[in-house]
Amino acid sequence: MGAGREVAIGIGDQIIATGLAKGAWAKRGKKVAFGPHGRIIWDKHSELIFRDNPNICYPGNEAHQKVEWVDFYKGNRGYNRKGNGHWIWNMDWRCEPGEVRLSHGELAAGERRGKGFIVIEPGVVRWKSSAQNKDWGFHRYQAVADKLIDAGHQVVQFTHPEAGQILSGVKTMQTYNFRDALAILRNAKLYVGSEGGMHHGAAAMGVAGVVVFGGFIPPSVTGYDMHTNIAGSDTFCGSFTACSHCKEAMANISVETVFSAAMERLSG
Ligand SMILES: [Zn+2]
């Protein structure tokens, strides 16, 4: 789940794309064109995340730039494919941390919000029927937040018009779009939350994280080595609908597990 006026659908995919494009310009003098050969396909969040990225070819420029075509676009993400009622995960897929080129103004605005706090993101994208499978549960995040606050840490939750429930005791920070959220997040000492746009964002900003995966998607596929990724199951169903296995997987992840992973990250 992202932070922005828009519902952050597929923000994570845009950030994964920036990881695929990394180094294209500096190393090979090329720009990456995302789409089937000859046709760039962006979706409504592509520009927000790709802005000022020298590795990525903007639609319309493909004819007069040196481009590398990469088959990664809405409806064709290499990390999964549609099975019968569930995603089939590509177990060979790995995510490289992406990059988002924030402007001086965006960076300065982020710095004005302070640093050294923990960002906690208990929300998941609610419109997706599979979202419940990624939801660890608000009450568990509240318990982790309480313990982190008791341990003397400042805990921040981003708010925006589509934000879900706000944890009690945390400091809220209003964000205006996902870039704005990243500008704040980059000064955090830790991200704790669900698998989604914000965990991809934390990786892109080089921020340590504790990411609650559950049983829906394998941490090896959309997780990052730089984060502590917590699964609650050995099997990852990818179910399009709310699933009892995923519910059980989430219940297998205790508050203590997430809290101690966070404390370990903070001390390391
Ligand atoms: Zn499941």
Side-chain angles (χ1 to χ4, degrees), residues 133 215-216 237-239 243-246:
N133 298 335
F216 178 73
C237 67
S239 175
C243 160
S244 58
H245 144 269
C246 286

Side-chain angles (χ1 to χ4, degrees), residues 85-102:
H86 65 100
W87 292 112
I88 299 167
W89 305 111
N90 174 1
M91 296 308 288
D92 296 326
W93 183 272
R94 297 291 176 268
C95 287
E96 285 296 317
E99 55 182 344
V100 179
R101 305 289 178 112
L102 299 172

Side-chain angles (χ1 to χ4, degrees), residues 116-121 141 144-150 152-158 167-173 189 192:
F117 42 80
I118 298 167
V119 170
I120 192 161
E121 173 60 79
Y141 281 109
V144 170
D146 291 345
K147 286 165 90 71
L148 290 169
I149 292 164
D150 281 350
H153 300 287
Q154 186 178 43
V155 178
V156 164
Q157 184 178 351
F158 294 147
L167 297 162
S168 68
V170 302
K171 181 179 168 70
T172 57
M173 287 192 192
K189 59 183 173 183
V192 176

